[in-house]
Amino acid sequence: MRAVRVVELDGPGSVRLDEIPEPEPNGVVIEVHAAGVAFPDVLLTRGLYQMKPDPPFVLGAELAGVVRSAPADSGFTEGDRVAGLIMLGNAMAEVAVLPPQTVFRLPDNVSLRAAAGLPFNDLTVHFALRERGRIAEGETVLVHGAAGGIGTSTLRLAGALGAGRTIAVVSTEEKAAVARAAGATDTVLTEGWLDQVRELTGGRGVDIVVDPVGGDRFTDSVRSLSRAGRVLVLGFTGGEIPTVKVNRLLLKNAAVIGVGWGEWVLGNPGYLAEQWAELGPLLASGELSAPEPVCRPLEHAAEALAALENRAATGKFVLTVR
């Protein structure tokens, strides 16, 4: 089968499309139609992710496809349309084998290409807003990097989970259009964003900040909070890991909360099924959209990864396999 592999830890340019043997069929065997591209994949190409497999290894944590075969007690049968999550990679290949607990049956209204871009970001954001952020009805959610994968997922999910307002922080007007299409009620540019947010909220501030960027805007994220507001820390695509003076948290009874979805899943068997039990019906009803992603063929994996690394990507990137 064809698979995208990292052959040396030298960035996106180090990936290669190789022919390798199919994996042993000791789980749900899926004929992959599309595989999502996420920022951890970029980090893996440089050996910077918390999990550090030795090259060569197959990339990819999320996929969508059709079940070829499955264990009798798995709940899946040949021909089922599914999305899947592989916490340790191997999704960017023509065939993947997953444990049943990381496979999710798809509603008929969600295409396989769209589904490939859902698991990593949507499950992360669902965990961030529901479990860590304790989102309440009518709250205002602000998201940095709003035109990226986590950003657009936040804008789609926040309203479905009860937010009354979503504010997108973006660097260009082009990205503002992407954010509005994902569901942002307001957009602000990164230059002077804090003053714009204060004006939009009448000085009250926001209830939740979703921050996958980090860097020098972090202190202003804390300043942007309303009373009892929360900053949810999802990552540091901006490169720099920020610090916070904790006295700032006392001023408004604010909180800075880490969002380690992967760690939570590893320590809570069955949690993924709980998440999909809420997300699946929202997708089926149309209350939660499943937008078509930016698609690239499998052989263009390096270019897609480079676009994420250079922060040139808008929306979600997916590699088409079939």
Side-chain angles (χ1 to χ4, degrees):
M1 68 174 186
R2 296 183 305 155
V4 174
R5 297 203 298 176
V6 175
V7 294
E8 57 182 321
L9 302 177
D10 196 30
S14 67
V15 305
R16 193 171 67 195
L17 187 60
D18 287 338
E19 286 282 345
I20 64 172
E22 289 191 5
E24 292 295 321
N26 55 350
V28 181
V29 181
I30 299 171
E31 295 183 346
V32 180
H33 283 241
V37 184
F39 196 73
D41 295 317
V42 176
L43 298 178
L44 281 163
T45 69
R46 296 194 179 277
L48 298 177
Y49 197 53
Q50 54 259 45
M51 293 174 285
K52 303 181 187 298
D54 294 324
F57 58 88
V58 178
L59 273 179
E62 57 187 346
L63 57 82
V66 176
V67 173
R68 177 194 290 176
S69 65
D73 60 351
S74 69
F76 298 98
T77 59
E78 180 183 356
D80 284 346
R81 299 170 67 257
V82 296
L85 189 69
I86 310 178
M87 301 303 286
L88 296 176
N90 292 315
M92 295 182 188
E94 291 182 315
V95 177
V97 179
L98 282 69
Q101 62 268 28
T102 67
V103 180
F104 317 110
R105 198 180 309 277
L106 290 174
D108 292 339
N109 62 330
V110 177
S111 75
L112 290 174
R113 290 186 177 187
L118 297 179
F120 194 86
N121 288 336
D122 278 14
L123 293 169
T124 297
V125 171
H126 178 270
F127 170 67
L129 293 175
R130 180 69 87 206
E131 192 76 38
R132 304 296 286 144
R134 302 293 183 185
I135 188 170
E137 194 73 26
E139 287 192 315
T140 296
V141 176
L142 178 144
V143 58
H144 292 291
I150 287 289
T152 53
S153 180
T154 300
L155 294 170
R156 291 171 40 251
L157 270 165
L161 297 180
R165 187 177 200 177
T166 50
I167 302 175
V169 182
V170 293
S171 58
T172 67
E173 290 295 343
E174 177 190 11
K175 291 183 177 181
V178 172
R180 285 191 291 270
T185 56
D186 301 276
T187 61
V188 298
L189 295 177
T190 49
E191 184 68 31
W193 71 268
L194 179 58
D195 288 339
Q196 297 174 69
V197 168
R198 284 172 170 163
E199 183 176 348
L200 282 172
T201 62
R204 177 185 177 275
V206 302
D207 300 291
I208 295 176
V209 174
V210 174
D211 185 11
V213 177
D216 57 8
R217 70 181 72 178
F218 186 79
T219 297
D220 280 348
S221 290
V222 177
R223 289 175 173 147
S224 76
L225 292 175
S226 64
R227 187 167 176 255
R230 294 86 78 198
V231 175
L232 306 181
V233 180
L234 277 74
F236 315 103
T237 61
E240 180 184 345
I241 298 176
T243 58
V244 59
K245 293 183 178 180
V246 295
N247 65 301
R248 296 187 184 279
L249 306 181
L250 299 178
L251 299 176
K252 293 182 179 178
N253 283 291
V256 175
I257 301 171
V259 179
W261 167 70
E263 186 278 336
W264 193 267
V265 168
L266 291 174
N268 293 270
Y271 182 67
L272 290 173
E274 293 176 20
Q275 289 190 281
W276 199 256
E278 180 171 14
L279 293 179
L282 290 173
L283 289 165
S285 69
E287 188 175 350
L288 177 62
S289 65
E292 291 299 315
V294 179
C295 294
R296 296 287 183 269
L298 193 62
E299 53 268 29
H300 289 181
E303 292 92 328
L305 290 160
L308 260 67
E309 183 173 58
N310 298 330
R311 301 179 69 180
T314 57
K316 179 68 180 184
F317 270 42
V318 158
L319 299 177
T320 54
V321 182
R322 284 180 170 81

